[in-house]
Amino acid sequence: MTERTPLLHYRLSASVNESELRSPPAGPVPERQPGGPRQRRTPAQRQRQKLSTFFGVVIPTLLSMFSVVVFLRIGFVVGQSGLYQAIAMFLVAYLIISMTVLSVCAISTNGALDAGGAYYMISRALGPEFGGSIGLMFFLANVCGSALYVLGLVEAIVGSFGMPEDVSVAATPFQVLPSGYWWSLLYGTAITLLCLLVCLVGAHIYAKATFIIFLVVMFVLGTIFVSFFAVRPQTITLPTSATRNPTMNATGPVAPTTANFTGFKLDTLLGNLQADYTVDYTTGTMMSFATVFAVMFNGCTGIMAGSNMSGDLKSPSSSIPRGTITAVIFTFIIYNLLSVLIACSCDRVLLQKDYSFLTDINIWHPFVTIGVYSSTLSAAMSNLIGASRILYALARDDLFGKALSPAKRTSQSGNPWVSVLISWFLVQLVLFSGKLNTIASIVTIFFLLVYAAVDLACLALEWASAPNFRPTFRYFTWHTCVLGIVGCAIMMFLINAIYASASIAFMLLLLLLIHYLSPTSSWGYISQALIFHQVRKYLLMLDVRKDHVKFWRPQILLMVSNPRSSVGLITFINDIKKSGLYVLGHVQLGDLNTLPSDPLQSQYDSWLSLVDHLNIKAFVNLTLADSVRHGVQHLLFISGLGGMRPNTLILGFYDDCLPKDRLVDPSLPFSQSTDPSEPSQELEQQPLFHFAYLRNGSVRQDSGELGDGKVLGAQEYVAIIADAMKMLKNVVLARYFNNFDRTQVLSPPSSSPWKGAVYVDVWPVNLLRPDSCSYVDTCSLFLLQLACILNMVRGWKKATLRLFLCVEEGRSVRGSEEKLGQLLKELRIKARIYPVPWDQQVALHWQRQGKWGKKQQSQPYDTIKEETKPRAVEEEESDDDYVNSFPSNTMHLSDDYLSAVNKLILDQARPPPAVRFLYLPRPPADTRRYTSYLHQLELLTRDLGPTLLIHGVTPVITTDL
């Protein structure tokens, strides 16, 4: 008997026998394009979805899972691992793929499943990033798989009908085809053209062809079962390649040249029960449990073939579960029956040295050859049409932009012929490599990665607990999904750890590329559902009763009137939140009873776009109220959830600084308007954000006061501060941040006299109460805490904290400085202490108090009142309304004192700081003094540059471990 070349050696079929996409729809799918309307199905498209469960799911899945494995690999598995381990391998392999089958069934029964199969499931469940990356890998795997099957078919044809290259070997009458690289390439091109013609005609022709192939394969399989009982025992000559053993010397044992088909014998069964791993004669590598299991496992995959026919099924939700499970059970039974029959009737040597022995023991030898040809051709054709449908789906979803635009074109019948041609061209390119054993493993790994992604999609949907995830197939849990993911991952690294790592890295690279380049989809993102689920769970666990001061962090509510004038403040506050809650609050005046709809709903997109534009980590909370004060109260009451509620209110200062628009797009031209207060026409036509434009003199910085309308008055502004303190909220007033530029502040020119140094000044004493110079009260410590937090931010770490110690004559400067230094050491705050004498300023204060005391003794009460009140208060209050008989010293600060303190602060600013932190005293108890209070703050902070007036009401710092 002449030497016979194996029809397909195991390494080739081991890695590429999955025909993953059997026939996705031939026409476009009515999927909603991103930003586009939903297309209607044409009558032709509705008519094409006509396949039943048997023709649309069972047949493609059976052919995909059988392929050439059932003819060429069963003997190899039993011969190497023995019957016991072979059955164990099948059990483990089918356990792994069954977990994925359950996930596929669950997703396919959760609503309308459109065309695209695994790509559609993954992309619609996990989002465009995962869907696009996995989809592209699936496309490449199908392209390479189609080429591998074509090359395998060519190898089988040349092995049967090709003339032997060795002239010493006699050729049979059937070996008439010339052999060689270019001849094999020609045969492969012809087979690929045949597949191309079928795919160009349409999916309905392919469905008919697969049914014929299915009949052929089932008939051949039937003859194999009959042959075990009908064929008599015989001796079979082994292939020449299997009898050569280059490792043996002349004195060693001679390799057998024949082996026996014994029929059903107990001795034969007993000899095949245990494992006996040897060298594979086709590759020369030593086999082991892992290598044989990897080879066998690839013959059990192909489970996605039926689900990927979803576009052509009458009822995908019912057909996919029933058809896929039926095919899996049927193939499992067939594989195990064949394993038992082979172990009972074939010698171990025959199984190890002749992988095509089923041809020799068949009742008619060409039957098995026909089965191999048919299944291989079916696999090559299905991978080609599957690749074209995946490419069309990727192009239709616009995940890769204009690069795949030509692939969207379809014929009048809806067949994506451009995608078919592109896929065929790539398959043809792969054929030039001749043999693809080097990438065969990575193709299989791509398929396993897709299966793991399907399990991940089902797991994410299950864990998200979304109300709309209600699959009618309920025979799955999150445990089965996890087992499927773990099983696929183990198999990937078992087949080839290097290729598995490379494929995962490639997927992550594609994921990042799509994330940054693809447009926003309307499919929904499972990540949002998972985040919501986890955040809700942890918010419930965040118990405010268990809060501790050492884990305190700022949770900020920043009130913003118009973001156009508040960019500097918004970005600065983002630096002092220290991973805490940051909420941008806005109050719009109005009454919902008089409005047709809620005006705030249309504004959220602009605010969220602002957050993205400024690259800050903040939430947005808008409210509608009849006054700004009531609106701020609403936000302080309702912002946040559970233990994540604002504990600090930040307001822009109430002054007359002209606002500047910091959100103007510099690329837009400005028109030369005669009225500088009017915005340019170009800006009105092309706004960067949908916020009202600022008009000079009509909007007060951050305060919300509009023109002469006094939407927010001074009295109401101070009332907001008092309300926040009553609610035990820390209060911060920010002034002169309208021109604040974080980049410029943190990167001063090196040519400056101070060589680019950055300073933060801290004045932790109540400058409005010089009679109470305490550095350890709650407010002072809160001031130090915020300054320290700012110094911990990456950009501000190079800044130097300067702590100013105000001292009077007669007090020990050295002792006060040492005491404050010890406090800073205990608080782990690094700062430079600068003693500042302020006797002159304090003298002005006490001089005012002395005058007031003398007047109180010698003058009537009404006269004293009129002289001690600021002029603004005099205009507002009458003698009869004055009720505060004994005001505190704060109420009697002269403008001279405040101006002197302001000058003192300015004189210490060498070099000038980036920002100042000052002590904010409480508003007076008498609401009639609110205007005077605000006037004092204005004088104190005049021309100081970016300044924060801070008042803390709760302990926020500790020296304990």
Side-chain angles (χ1 to χ4, degrees):
M1 196 173 198
T2 59
E3 177 181 359
R4 292 174 285 103
T5 303
L7 297 178
L8 279 178
H9 63 74
Y10 82 92
R11 284 191 63 189
L12 182 60
S13 59
S15 304
V16 293
N17 61 0
E18 297 92 336
S19 49
E20 301 302 327
L21 290 178
R22 286 295 174 175
S23 178
V29 180
E31 172 65 22
R32 186 182 297 275
Q33 301 286 348
R38 182 179 292 275
Q39 303 174 359
R40 293 185 178 180
R41 296 181 185 270
T42 63
Q45 288 173 321
R46 288 194 296 265
Q47 187 177 4
R48 280 196 302 275
Q49 295 189 1
K50 58 187 178 183
L51 298 180
S52 63
T53 302
F54 181 74
F55 288 95
V57 182
V58 175
I59 290 179
T61 306
L62 282 176
L63 287 178
S64 180
M65 297 187 71
F66 275 151
S67 188
V68 297
V69 181
V70 74
F71 306 113
L72 298 179
R73 192 175 307 170
I74 293 296
F76 161 77
V77 174
V78 176
Q80 295 287 344
S81 61
L83 182 60
Y84 288 156
Q85 291 191 15
I87 294 177
M89 287 180 182
F90 280 114
L91 289 173
V92 174
Y94 270 83
L95 176 64
I96 294 174
I97 65 172
S98 295
M99 300 301 102
T100 303
V101 168
L102 296 180
S103 299
V104 171
C105 295
I107 297 178
S108 63
T109 58
N110 185 48
L113 179 64
D114 222 325
Y119 162 71
Y120 186 87
M121 295 179 187
I122 297 170
S123 62
R124 269 52 178 182
L126 299 182
E129 292 90 351
F130 269 100
S133 57
I134 294 293
L136 185 59
M137 296 176 67
F138 210 11
F139 166 72
L140 296 176
N142 276 273
V143 167
C144 295
S146 179
L148 285 170
Y149 279 121
V150 170
L151 291 174
L153 181 56
V154 170
E155 182 181 342
I157 293 175
V158 172
S160 300
F161 302 102
M163 292 184 296
E165 297 182 4
D166 190 355
V167 294
S168 62
V169 179
T172 64
F174 301 103
Q175 294 177 314
V176 294
L177 296 178
S179 59
Y181 170 77
W182 292 106
W183 285 106
S184 297
L185 181 61
L186 178 62
Y187 302 149
T189 302
I191 296 172
T192 307
L193 285 174
L194 175 62
C195 297
L196 173 65
L197 293 177
V198 174
C199 295
L200 285 177
V201 172
H204 59 288
I205 296 297
Y206 169 75
K208 295 178 181 179
T210 53
F211 177 65
I212 296 175
I213 294 174
F214 170 75
L215 294 179
V216 172
V217 171
M218 289 299 103
F219 176 77
V220 173
L221 192 59
T223 62
I224 291 176
F225 278 100
V226 172
S227 298
F228 282 107
F229 298 92
V231 176
R232 296 180 179 179
Q234 56 181 290
T235 301
I236 299 174
T237 303
L238 301 177
T240 305
S241 58
T243 58
R244 298 195 190 104
N245 196 339
T247 61
M248 295 181 179
N249 53 32
T251 60
V254 179
T257 58
T258 61
N260 297 322
F261 171 70
T262 63
F264 293 102
K265 287 188 176 181
L266 181 60
D267 292 339
T268 304
L269 175 62
L270 295 176
N272 289 325
L273 291 180
Q274 303 299 327
D276 183 18
Y277 296 106
T278 61
V279 176
D280 170 41
Y281 73 91
T282 61
T283 61
T285 57
M286 184 66 185
M287 294 291 99
S288 63
F289 180 88
T291 55
V292 174
F293 182 72
V295 169
M296 181 276 308
F297 180 81
N298 292 280
C300 304
T301 55
I303 55 176
M304 300 294 294
S307 60
N308 288 319
M309 292 290 293
S310 56
D312 292 312
L313 297 175
K314 291 180 180 179
S315 179
S317 297
S318 60
S319 296
I320 291 176
R322 290 187 298 170
T324 305
I325 293 176
T326 300
V328 169
I329 294 175
F330 182 77
T331 55
F332 177 75
I333 294 174
I334 294 298
Y335 277 132
N336 282 278
L337 279 178
L338 280 177
S339 299
V340 173
L341 293 177
I342 289 171
C344 293
S345 59
C346 299
D347 280 344
R348 178 64 67 94
V349 175
L350 178 63
L351 300 179
Q352 293 178 344
K353 300 299 182 180
D354 188 0
Y355 298 155
S356 59
F357 71 97
L358 290 178
T359 303
D360 300 318
I361 67 173
N362 199 274
I363 54 178
W364 189 52
H365 295 179
F367 274 156
V368 176
T369 303
I370 294 173
V372 171
Y373 290 175
S374 300
S375 58
T376 308
L377 180 63
S378 170
M381 195 160 34
S382 64
N383 277 299
L384 177 60
I385 196 171
S388 66
R389 288 342 189 239
I390 295 174
L391 181 62
Y392 171 69
L394 287 169
R396 183 192 59 194
D397 289 336
D398 288 325
L399 295 183
F400 294 92
K402 297 181 179 180
L404 298 181
S405 295
K408 296 180 183 180
R409 298 183 180 180
T410 60
S411 62
Q412 292 183 352
S413 61
N415 188 27
W417 60 275
V418 177
S419 297
V420 174
L421 290 176
I422 295 175
S423 302
W424 166 80
F425 177 74
L426 294 178
V427 171
Q428 186 64 44
L429 288 180
V430 177
L431 289 179
F432 279 96
S433 63
K435 292 184 180 294
L436 295 181
N437 291 337
T438 54
I439 66 169
S441 296
I442 200 170
V443 173
T444 300
I445 289 172
F446 278 5
F447 285 132
L448 289 174
L449 198 58
V450 173
Y451 298 159
V454 173
D455 286 316
L456 179 61
C458 186
L459 177 65
L461 291 170
E462 177 69 12
W463 274 355
S465 300
N468 284 323
F469 183 60
R470 299 187 297 270
T472 57
F473 183 87
R474 297 301 305 169
Y475 300 101
F476 79 99
T477 64
W478 67 268
H479 304 86
T480 61
C481 300
V482 171
L483 286 176
I485 295 173
V486 173
C488 291
I490 291 175
M491 281 309 308
M492 287 168 55
F493 286 92
L494 190 63
I495 293 173
N496 193 310
I498 297 178
Y499 286 170
S501 302
S503 63
I504 294 175
F506 180 56
M507 182 197 70
L508 295 177
L509 180 64
L510 289 175
L511 189 147
L512 294 175
L513 180 67
I514 297 174
H515 176 74
Y516 288 107
L517 298 182
S518 66
T520 303
S521 70
S522 59
W523 307 336
Y525 293 84
I526 189 64
S527 60
Q528 299 302 304
L530 289 173
I531 291 172
F532 178 89
H533 184 268
Q534 293 301 110
V535 167
R536 182 193 64 84
K537 180 174 70 174
Y538 287 113
L539 275 176
L540 292 173
M541 296 172 60
L542 191 60
D543 193 345
V544 295
R545 296 170 296 181
K546 299 179 181 179
D547 286 344
H548 194 278
V549 63
K550 65 183 178 182
F551 298 120
W552 178 91
R553 66 180 72 242
Q555 303 193 78
I556 297 169
L557 172 62
L558 172 62
M559 298 304 303
V560 180
S561 174
N562 192 324
R564 292 188 176 278
S565 60
S566 309
V567 171
L569 180 59
I570 293 173
T571 54
F572 175 77
I573 298 303
N574 185 65
D575 285 338
I576 65 172
K577 68 180 187 303
K578 187 55 179 176
S579 303
L581 181 68
Y582 185 20
V583 180
L584 299 181
H586 174 73
V587 178
Q588 179 165 331
L589 301 183
D591 187 357
L592 197 59
N593 290 330
T594 62
L595 297 173
S597 61
D598 183 7
L600 301 178
Q601 298 302 319
S602 59
Q603 299 180 21
Y604 274 101
D605 287 342
S606 292
W607 283 87
L608 295 177
S609 298
L610 173 73
V611 171
D612 296 336
H613 175 72
L614 299 180
N615 194 26
I616 61 175
K617 298 178 180 179
F619 300 95
V620 175
N621 210 344
L622 312 180
T623 188
L624 188 70
D626 57 354
S627 68
V628 177
R629 181 183 182 184
H630 289 165
V632 176
Q633 289 178 358
H634 295 168
L635 294 178
L636 287 175
F637 277 125
I638 67 174
S639 293
L641 287 173
M644 294 190 67
R645 291 184 177 275
N647 55 30
T648 304
L649 174 67
I650 299 182
L651 303 172
F653 199 78
Y654 189 93
D655 58 18
D656 294 320
C657 293
L658 294 180
K660 293 185 179 180
D661 195 339
R662 302 295 298 276
L663 289 180
V664 177
D665 190 345
S667 64
L668 298 178
F670 286 85
S671 62
Q672 300 297 330
S673 175
T674 57
D675 185 1
S677 67
E678 293 293 330
S680 65
Q681 295 179 357
E682 287 81 356
L683 286 178
E684 290 182 346
Q685 295 172 359
Q686 303 178 26
L688 186 61
F689 297 95
H690 298 289
F691 300 122
Y693 282 98
L694 302 175
R695 301 175 184 272
N696 292 338
S698 63
V699 180
R700 294 195 175 208
Q701 172 67 21
D702 294 329
S703 66
E705 183 179 350
L706 303 179
D708 297 329
K710 299 291 184 182
V711 172
L712 177 62
Q715 194 80 6
E716 185 179 6
Y717 177 80
V718 181
I720 293 174
I721 301 174
D723 291 342
M725 294 182 183
K726 291 177 184 178
M727 299 168 66
L728 296 181
K729 306 295 183 184
N730 309 301
V731 178
V732 178
L733 306 183
R735 190 176 190 187
Y736 294 121
F737 279 88
N738 50 337
N739 293 323
F740 184 83
D741 188 336
R742 183 180 186 273
T743 304
Q744 184 177 357
V745 167
L746 295 180
S747 301
S750 57
S751 59
S752 64
W754 300 282
K755 301 185 183 299
V758 179
Y759 294 94
V760 176
D761 288 0
V762 182
W763 295 77
V765 63
N766 186 357
L767 297 175
L768 300 188
R769 289 291 304 274
D771 56 332
S772 176
C773 297
S774 174
Y775 291 91
V776 292
D777 65 353
T778 299
C779 187
S780 298
L781 294 178
F782 183 79
L783 199 77
L784 292 173
Q785 179 78 316
L786 285 189
C788 180
I789 288 174
L790 180 64
N791 199 216
M792 296 169 67
V793 177
R794 178 179 301 177
W796 293 87
K797 284 184 177 180
K798 63 180 181 181
T800 301
L801 293 184
R802 298 189 299 190
L803 188 61
F804 293 95
L805 176 64
C806 296
V807 294
E808 299 179 51
E809 184 178 358
R811 299 181 61 182
S812 173
V813 176
R814 184 177 181 84
S816 300
E817 186 175 354
E818 290 180 354
K819 183 178 180 181
L820 183 58
Q822 181 63 27
L823 175 64
L824 294 178
K825 184 178 180 180
E826 293 178 357
L827 298 178
R828 291 91 61 201
I829 298 177
K830 185 178 181 181
R832 297 180 183 177
I833 302 176
Y834 294 87
V836 178
W838 66 329
D839 297 84
Q840 297 179 357
Q841 291 76 17
V842 174
L844 289 175
H845 167 72
W846 288 114
Q847 181 181 4
R848 174 74 172 186
Q849 307 307 311
K851 291 181 179 179
W852 187 86
K854 293 179 181 178
K855 289 182 180 181
Q856 188 178 23
Q857 296 175 1
S858 60
Q859 297 181 9
Y861 173 77
D862 292 341
T863 308
I864 298 174
K865 176 198 66 176
E866 294 298 330
E867 292 184 0
T868 56
K869 289 190 299 183
R871 182 173 300 176
V873 179
E874 292 177 1
E875 298 175 355
E876 294 179 3
E877 299 177 351
S878 63
D879 296 344
D880 296 335
D881 295 333
Y882 190 70
V883 294
N884 192 358
S885 301
F886 300 97
S888 67
N889 290 337
T890 306
M891 296 297 102
H892 305 286
L893 296 175
S894 66
D895 290 354
D896 294 337
Y897 166 76
L898 294 171
S899 298
V901 173
N902 176 262
K903 185 176 182 301
L904 173 69
I905 297 174
L906 286 173
D907 291 341
Q908 304 300 320
R910 294 294 182 271
V915 64
R916 289 181 173 88
F917 289 74
L918 301 183
Y919 191 115
L920 174 67
R922 281 181 173 270
D926 182 9
T927 60
R928 305 169 194 222
R929 292 289 182 179
Y930 280 177
T931 305
S932 175
Y933 171 79
L934 189 58
H935 174 70
Q936 294 170 0
L937 297 180
E938 195 279 331
L939 287 178
L940 178 66
T941 59
R942 181 174 293 177
D943 300 326
L944 291 185
T947 303
L948 295 181
L949 288 162
I950 302 171
H951 185 87
V953 297
T954 55
V956 297
I957 197 168
T958 180
T959 59
D960 296 335
L961 181 62

